[in-house]
Amino acid sequence: GESVGLHLPTLSVQEGDNSIINCAYSNSASDYFIWYKQESGKGPQFIIDIRSNMDKRQGQRVTVLLNKTVKHLSLQIAATQPGDSAVYFCAEKTGANSKLTFGKGITLSVRP
Amino acid sequence: EAGVAQSPRYKIIEKRQSVAFWCNPISGHATLYWYQQILGQGPKLLIQFQNNGVVDDSQLPKDRFSAERLKGVDSTLKIQPAKLEDSAVYLCASSRPRTLGEKLFFGSGTQLSVL
């Protein structure tokens, strides 16, 4: 089976609130993680990535947190906007020549 | 910079027919990937090229799927014969040199319906 999974299938948030999307992974040897956003009818769009030698990385309105102790990855979106509504995927990679393995995805719905 | 280009955008065929998808990666991207995305699931890697060589095709159903990247740029993915379970979105992605399997840039995909 897949080694990357998400806790919840859907997440509904109020516009302007912060969103937290969680992801669990099972392979403690994974050394690279990435979040993608996929809007309907489009391909996945890169959001942010992080290597296992880091605990936190920030981008524009987004933060990724990595907790290697409990094998947990989260994506935080500040001041969520209607344009953030999409399916979000986490993915992991184990080793230099391994492939990127995607989880099942979680739908983020932003209420106006 | 221009993104990953894919065509066609949609394709409807009957089972046992053949179909081909085309991909043009971002200029300068040495690595090209084909992913299959079944509705409601995350993308699954089918094949990965580094220039025109295959890096990983372990999940490619080789009895019916084939892919090539002859000149290290464009790529085609073919299914022959198609089955009902091949209905999915076929995504092409590319990444910069020295970032194998990392920070992939995806095209919009080809949505295949097998009837």
Side-chain angles (χ1 to χ4, degrees):
Chain A
E2 293 180 317
S3 65
V4 179
L6 298 173
H7 293 306
L8 299 171
T10 60
L11 177 65
S12 181
V13 299
Q14 189 73 37
E15 181 179 357
D17 286 353
N18 296 334
S19 302
I20 300 176
I21 303 172
N22 296 305
C23 177
Y25 64 95
S26 58
N27 192 340
S28 57
S30 292
D31 57 4
Y32 176 82
F33 305 87
I34 189 167
W35 281 99
Y36 280 94
K37 170 188 179 183
Q38 188 172 26
E39 297 174 277
S40 181
K42 297 183 178 180
Q45 177 187 357
F46 169 81
I47 300 174
I48 192 167
D49 58 359
I50 188 168
R51 296 193 184 280
S52 59
N53 61 353
M54 301 174 69
D55 297 323
K56 178 180 180 179
R57 193 173 187 206
Q58 289 184 294
Q60 189 176 16
R61 275 201 313 119
V62 295
T63 300
V64 56
L65 298 177
L66 176 62
N67 186 331
K68 294 180 286 293
T69 302
V70 294
K71 291 183 284 189
H72 184 268
L73 188 72
S74 68
L75 177 69
Q76 299 179 359
I77 304 174
T80 312
Q81 303 169 359
D84 295 325
S85 294
V87 177
Y88 289 79
F89 293 96
C90 64
E92 66 173 344
K93 180 170 172 286
T94 308
N97 295 320
S98 72
K99 60 180 179 286
L100 201 60
T101 300
F102 284 77
K104 289 184 173 59
I106 182 168
T107 300
L108 176 65
S109 176
V110 182
R111 304 188 302 272
Chain B
E1 69 186 347
V4 176
Q6 289 189 248
S7 68
R9 189 74 179 86
Y10 303 95
K11 191 71 177 179
I12 301 173
I13 61 173
E14 295 187 349
K15 61 182 179 183
R16 292 188 288 273
Q17 287 188 322
S18 62
V19 64
F21 313 125
W22 174 84
C23 173
N24 182 250
I26 294 173
S27 178
H29 282 197
T31 310
L32 184 147
Y33 315 77
W34 283 102
Y35 277 81
Q36 180 193 58
Q37 186 174 25
I38 293 172
L39 186 64
Q41 298 183 16
K44 183 186 84 171
L45 180 69
L46 292 174
I47 190 167
Q48 178 175 322
F49 292 94
Q50 179 82 354
N51 295 310
N52 60 349
V54 175
V55 174
D56 185 344
D57 64 356
S58 58
Q59 297 191 90
L60 186 74
K62 298 180 187 65
D63 58 334
R64 297 185 301 106
F65 286 64
S66 64
E68 59 182 14
R69 193 185 185 199
L70 292 175
K71 296 182 179 180
V73 181
D74 293 7
S75 177
T76 55
L77 175 70
K78 297 179 182 177
I79 308 175
Q80 182 180 10
K83 293 185 175 181
L84 297 178
E85 59 261 36
D86 298 332
S87 294
V89 175
Y90 290 85
L91 295 162
C92 179
S94 66
S95 62
R96 294 189 176 95
R98 294 182 296 281
T99 59
L100 193 68
E102 298 180 3
K103 201 168 182 179
L104 277 59
F105 293 86
F106 284 86
S108 294
T110 296
Q111 185 171 325
L112 174 67
S113 297
V114 182
L115 306 178

